[in-house]
Structures are given as structure tokens and as C-alpha cells.
Amino acid sequence: LLGYIGIDTIIEQMRKKTMKTGFDFNIMVVGQSGLGKSTLVNTLFKCQVSRKASSWNREEKIPKTVEIKAIGHVIEEGGVKMKLTVIDTPGFGDQINNENCWEPIEKYINEQYEKFLKEEVNIARKKRIPDTRIHCCLYFISPTGHSYVSAPPTLGLAPGCVIQAYAGLDDQGSLSARGQNIVMTPVRKELEVNGIEFYPQKEFDEDLEDKTENDKIRQESMPFAVVGSDKEYQVNGKRVLGRKTPWGIIEVENLNHCEFALLRDFVIRTHLQDLKEVTHNIHYETYRAKRLNDNGG
Ligand code: GDP
Ligand code: MG
């Protein structure tokens, strides 16, 4: 090159646009009542984005059918606005017969694709199509991994990852995330045996850098063994989020205690943009192609 052209300013231009418009992020939580879904999303976004069952009572709170509730929030940090929607699924997996428990969730995910498609094929299109598509589905399983409802087909419909609730304590009450591997191994095996692929899928790694980074997540982190909390405790002179147990305080952000920080970094700090792109380029695209094909006959 003979002189500076200025191609690299694109980054600054994109930054400015994003600062102006903000961005959407739609996250869905799925799993039986009481697994800590609401607590975890509140911990992830450091505010009350999902209503926790105040005095949690299984009998009282369980709806007869799966309800799907979307609640929007605007979170701003460093001048960047995130329009966050948390999609909660109270009642999921709580019925006596859970055979069809995935149906309303699949239906919801597809309805959002349909809405987007309708807007896209309009002659007079909106400048910015409102995006209600699920960018990330967090699927919660119990600490023992035994309360499996059935294989989650939604992981094929939207980018999904698996969260193992209540990590951080083994039966002896020792605080250790590594100890969790004893519990995690059968969970991962079960997912593999059932052919359940979660995000980030191998086939979508674009280069060696992606592969190296994602292999670590696939092999070491998934399912993420996490605890959530909105309570602060004093540990070594510092205030930290944690849960008080008879054996000590489980610190949410301490990787020796649980994998919350890994999950947070993955979903928010390293893969958020990719989650949105995979939603659009892979999952929505599959839906769109199928729909237009069905129509065209
Ligand atoms: P949800 O029904 O899945 O949304 O669960 P909630 O977030 O409402 O939590 C249900 C109960 O479990 C509450 O009493 C929480 O304080 C508790 N809880 C939430 N997260 C954890 C966790 O990581 N570990 C433990 N031991 N309890 C938790
Ligand atoms: Mg909840």
C-alpha cells in the first residue's frame, strides 16, 4: 500500500452506530421450577430482570400449562444500550405428563421467526425489523442431572446451552467446581448419547481460532455448573455475590466454586454477537428456506 486509505475506520464507524442504536438480545430460560432460572438471569445482568418466586412453594406456583412470558428491559453500560428481553417459561417440565412440554416452546420460537419473515417479505419494509427471535436458550438441568424431561429439540431451533443448576457443593459440602465433574460427566454423556448438540456447534467453527476457543467450551465447560445469587457477603474484606451454606460461602464469581464466570463470559463477553449471527444465519435461515419452499411448492 502506498498510503493510508482508512479502511480500519470501519470499526469506529460500527462502534458509533451501535452506540446510537443499541442492540437487541433475547434470552430464553427453560427448565423445571425452582432450578434457579430467575436468580441466574438476574445474576447475569446484575439487576432484577426476572421475577423470583418470593417465598417459593412448589404446589402454589405451578401453572397448569407452560406459560411463556417475555419481559423487556433496557440495560446501559459504557454508553451502549442493550434491549434485553428475558423469555421465561414457568410450568415447563412441572406437569405429571411432560411428553409435550417442548411443544409450546418450539411454537414460540417458530412464531418469532414467522413474524420476522412476514416483515422481511413486506413490500414496504421497516427500516429496522423488530427482532424478537430467541438468540440464546439456556436449558437448566437439576444438579443430579436426573430430572431430564426429554431431549431438548429447541437446541436445534435456536442457539442453546445447557446449565447445570446449584453447582459448587458436593455431597461432602466441599466447595469445588472440579468436584462437579463427577456429576457432570454423566450429564455430558447423556447429552452425547441422545445426540444433543448445543451451541457452539463444531460444524459452524469458521477457522482454527474459533475451533480452539470453542473446543474448550465444548469439552471443559458444557454443561456449565453454576450458582446464582443476589446476596452479597463479605469475603476477605471484599463484598462478593454468594450463597451462604453451612460449609461456607459459595462465591458466584469464584471459578474454584462454580462456573458462573465462564458462562457469563461466554454468553455476554465473547459470544453475544455470534449468538445473534447464528440465530439469523443458521436457525432463521433454515426456517425461512423451509417456509418459502413449502409455499412455492
Ligand atoms: P426458578 O423457578 O427456576 O426461576 O427458580 P428461582 O430463581 O425462583 O429460585 C428458586 C429457589 O432456589 C429460590 O429460593 C432461590 O433462592 C434458590 N436458588 C436459586 N439459585 C440457586 C443456586 O444456585 N443454588 C441454590 N442452592 N439455590 C438457588
Ligand atoms: Mg422463575
Side-chain angles (χ1 to χ4, degrees), residues 17 21 37 54 56 78 212:
K17 288 239 178 208
T21 54
K37 300 181 297 297
S54 46
W56 189 69
T212 313

Side-chain angles (χ1 to χ4, degrees), residues 16-271:
K16 268 188 153 165
K17 288 239 178 208
T18 307
M19 296 284 276
K20 236 177 240 163
T21 54
F23 67 95
D24 294 305
F25 188 55
N26 307 324
I27 190 165
M28 181 184 236
V29 290
V30 186
Q32 285 168 303
S33 295
L35 285 181
K37 300 181 297 297
S38 298
T39 308
L40 188 80
V41 281
N42 290 342
T43 314
L44 269 179
F45 299 106
K46 293 202 194 315
C47 57
Q48 196 71 25
V49 290
S50 179
R51 219 171 64 84
K52 249 177 51 175
S54 46
S55 65
W56 189 69
N57 176 329
R58 217 161 197 281
E59 265 78 75
E60 251 172 52
K61 296 276 153 63
I62 295 170
K64 290 262 173 334
T65 52
V66 180
E67 297 171 52
I68 297 189
K69 289 187 186 155
I71 301 174
H73 310 264
V74 176
I75 300 181
E76 193 172 338
E77 195 172 42
V80 180
K81 270 201 268 321
M82 172 167 78
K83 291 165 229 160
L84 173 72
T85 302
V86 176
I87 297 94
D88 200 358
T89 56
F92 175 89
D94 296 331
Q95 316 303 318
I96 293 167
N97 181 351
N98 286 309
E99 228 172 85
N100 303 319
C101 63
W102 286 103
E103 252 170 40
I105 289 164
E106 294 192 67
K107 186 165 161 265
Y108 184 88
I109 293 175
N110 282 327
E111 276 167 5
Q112 311 317 308
Y113 290 148
E114 186 64 27
K115 262 196 219 166
F116 198 87
L117 181 64
K118 285 239 167 75
E119 291 287 347
E120 239 184 13
V121 299
N122 256 348
I123 294 180
R125 286 205 286 197
K126 293 194 175 102
K127 189 171 163 220
R128 204 167 280 114
I129 300 176
D131 190 4
T132 59
R133 299 168 300 177
I134 305 291
H135 301 125
C136 179
C137 177
L138 302 179
Y139 176 51
F140 285 68
I141 53 181
S142 82
T144 55
H146 288 314
S147 74
Y148 247 41
V149 194
S150 66
T154 42
L155 292 185
L157 279 181
C161 32
V162 181
I163 311 291
Q164 189 172 16
Y166 298 2
L169 277 187
D170 59 27
D171 291 343
Q172 281 71 47
S174 66
L175 298 170
S176 125
R178 287 304 113 213
Q180 288 297 314
N181 270 329
I182 305 162
V183 181
M184 276 164 64
T185 312
V187 173
R188 192 175 297 143
K189 273 232 179 70
E190 198 168 342
L191 292 169
E192 267 169 29
V193 166
N194 287 293
I196 297 164
E197 280 225 323
F198 28 77
Y199 173 85
Q201 282 100 319
K202 276 197 198 80
E203 60 213 276
F204 306 131
D205 292 344
E206 278 177 12
D207 53 26
L208 198 64
E209 193 193 342
D210 276 6
K211 187 181 168 339
T212 313
E213 188 184 357
N214 292 339
D215 271 348
K216 223 173 129 66
I217 291 155
R218 288 186 286 256
Q219 286 155 18
E220 292 170 25
S221 314
M222 201 84 77
F224 293 91
V226 300
V227 294
S229 173
D230 54 8
K231 289 216 169 60
E232 283 190 335
Y233 294 94
Q234 194 90 15
V235 175
N236 300 327
K238 271 203 277 180
R239 296 201 68 77
V240 295
L241 280 179
R243 301 193 76 88
K244 204 175 162 131
T245 77
W247 301 281
I249 289 165
I250 308 175
E251 298 163 40
V252 165
E253 302 249 6
N254 186 334
L255 278 177
N256 291 319
H257 296 184
C258 79
E259 298 176 322
F260 171 82
L262 286 183
L263 174 73
R264 190 261 326 276
D265 287 358
F266 173 57
V267 170
I268 301 175
R269 299 187 184 175
T270 62
H271 283 65

